[in-house]
């Protein structure tokens, strides 16, 4: 997803991009550091942004909004919004960039309205413990370069957007009630896709596309059907298959880790021990 306006403005004042991951489907997460005394403006960025300040102090200076924010403050920036900022003390923050298309699909389907009438509100320096906890516990601690974490990151970002809309958006409640779960043949297709490409990028959007559903509805219906989130199901499936491969003894542990979608042997070993209580080498026959 292109995030030129926000990224270009930050880079233009010398801000440092600490890490970024494009999750596909119009969803990107980034972590930044900006430095004291820098001033910048965002002009009609073309995508929505949810921001959480992790440390430091910043002032909003445009005519529409004013105020000072610090650690724990959240901001919402709509796709067509303009804003101006002055960093008072070195600031660290996490951005979630949401394309207009993803926002409209999710908002329209969940709230059962014409999504063309919906937009993200422009809000600065508000508190929301639930949203902050999702970012601090589900997004920031994870390795963004690990493909196995992409499902979790996408689900966390979608959950944040839903909370934002429910609490702050122009639509306050949903008239859409989810009934049932995935049909047996759809679930069979999803499991076949997972098993056929354990080493691949099993993103939430890819699985949802296979089911013919939005990512939000797929995640809800998948959990309703299996009792697990897609991320947890894929993770458990990768470990189960890896266990059988190790017992068969036909490949090295490094080869098995890669074949089952773990980016490094160390990550595989840690996940394996957390699941089975022992190291991969200990169960090899």
């Amino acid at each position: 997803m292109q995030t030129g306006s926000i990224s270009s403005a930050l880079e233009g004042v010398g801000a440092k991009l600490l890490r970024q991951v494009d999750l596909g489907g119009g969803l990107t997460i980034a972590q930044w550091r900006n430095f004291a005394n820098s001033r910048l403006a965002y002009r009609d960025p073309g995508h929505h942004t949810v921001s959480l300040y992790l440390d430091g102090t910043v002032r909003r200076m445009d005519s529409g909004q004013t105020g000072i924010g610090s650690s724990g403050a959240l901001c919402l920036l709509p796709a067509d919004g303009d804003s101006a900022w002055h960093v008072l003390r070195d600031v660290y923050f996490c951005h979630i960039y949401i394309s207009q298309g993803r926002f409209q699909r999710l908002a329209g389907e969940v709230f059962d309205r014409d999504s063309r009438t919906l937009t993200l509100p422009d809000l600065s320096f508000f508190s929301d413990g639930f949203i902050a906890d999702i970012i601090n516990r589900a997004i920031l601690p994870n390795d963004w370069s690990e493909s196995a974490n992409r499902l979790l990151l996408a689900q966390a970002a979608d959950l944040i957007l839903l909370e934002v809309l429910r609490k702050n958006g122009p639509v306050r409640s949903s008239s859409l009630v989810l009934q049932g779960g995935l049909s047996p043949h759809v679930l069979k297709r999803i499991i076949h896709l997972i098993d056929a490409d354990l080493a691949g990028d099993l993103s939430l959007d890819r699985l949802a596309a296979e089911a013919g559903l939005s990512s939000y509805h797929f995640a809800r219906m998948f959990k309703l059907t299996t009792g697990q989130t897609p991320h947890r199901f894929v993770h458990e499936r990768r470990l189960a298959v890896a266990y059988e491969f190790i017992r068969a003894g036909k490949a090295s542990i490094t080869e098995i880790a890669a074949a089952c979608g773990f980016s490094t042997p160390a990550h595989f070993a840690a996940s394996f021990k957390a699941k089975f209580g022992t190291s991969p080498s200990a169960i090899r026959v």
Side-chain angles (χ1 to χ4, degrees):
M1 182 183 70
Q2 296 298 314
T3 56
S5 295
I6 297 282
S7 297
S8 296
L10 287 165
E11 291 170 354
V13 297
K16 183 178 181 180
L17 179 63
L18 302 178
R19 56 176 175 163
Q20 179 170 297
V21 57
D22 185 345
L23 298 171
L27 186 61
T28 299
I29 302 175
Q31 192 171 347
W32 293 88
R33 178 185 182 184
N34 202 0
F35 300 92
N37 299 319
S38 67
R39 297 171 183 263
L40 72 159
Y42 304 138
R43 300 287 183 243
D44 192 20
H47 60 83
H48 303 288
T49 302
V50 178
S51 174
L52 174 67
Y53 289 100
L54 308 173
D55 194 15
T57 309
V58 64
R59 183 196 303 274
R60 184 161 178 180
M61 302 175 60
D62 52 282
S63 58
Q65 301 262 356
T66 58
I68 296 176
S70 57
S71 177
L74 286 152
C75 294
L76 306 179
L77 305 175
D80 58 354
D82 295 339
S83 57
W85 309 82
H86 177 206
V87 178
L88 304 178
R89 184 167 63 89
D90 283 13
V91 64
Y92 294 81
F93 52 97
C94 179
H95 273 176
I96 301 173
Y97 305 126
I98 305 144
S99 72
Q100 185 76 339
R102 189 183 190 94
F103 175 87
Q104 290 181 343
R105 286 194 305 274
L106 187 60
E109 291 169 5
V110 173
F111 295 99
D112 197 23
R113 299 285 184 89
D114 184 346
S115 60
R116 294 171 298 180
T117 67
L118 304 179
T119 189
L120 196 70
D122 189 340
L123 294 175
S124 297
F125 310 135
F126 68 98
S127 297
D128 190 303
F130 182 74
I131 293 174
D133 277 350
I134 296 173
I135 295 174
N136 284 318
R137 297 182 181 184
I139 291 179
L140 294 177
N142 281 293
D143 181 357
W144 296 0
S145 65
E146 172 59 59
S147 61
N149 289 330
R150 292 171 64 88
L151 274 171
L152 175 63
L153 294 171
Q155 287 176 245
D158 277 346
L159 181 57
I160 288 169
L161 178 56
L162 287 170
E163 278 297 297
V164 165
L165 284 171
R166 184 177 71 83
K167 295 177 178 177
N168 305 290
V171 180
R172 297 293 181 178
S173 63
S174 172
S175 60
L176 183 62
V177 178
L178 181 65
Q179 299 290 339
L182 297 175
S183 65
H185 76 276
V186 170
L187 180 61
K188 185 176 180 180
R189 283 209 320 270
I190 297 302
I191 294 175
H192 176 77
L193 172 62
I194 292 170
D195 287 345
D197 196 17
L198 283 174
D201 179 18
L202 295 170
S203 67
L204 183 61
D205 285 334
R206 183 183 177 193
L207 298 180
E210 179 67 22
L213 297 168
S214 71
S215 58
Y216 169 75
H217 277 121
F218 171 75
R220 289 281 302 276
M221 295 177 75
F222 188 92
K223 186 172 183 180
L224 190 63
T225 303
T226 66
Q228 293 180 305
T229 65
H231 171 264
R232 174 53 57 184
F233 185 93
V234 169
H235 185 70
E236 295 285 330
R237 188 62 185 152
R238 282 172 163 152
L239 288 172
V241 172
Y243 186 97
E244 295 303 320
F245 282 168
I246 292 171
R247 295 281 291 178
K250 295 181 179 179
S252 71
I253 290 175
T254 298
E255 290 171 334
I256 290 170
C260 292
F262 294 92
S263 60
T264 66
H267 179 249
F268 170 61
S271 298
F272 192 93
K273 187 170 184 180
K275 171 67 176 176
F276 299 110
T278 189
S279 66
S281 59
I283 59 99
R284 188 183 287 277
V285 176

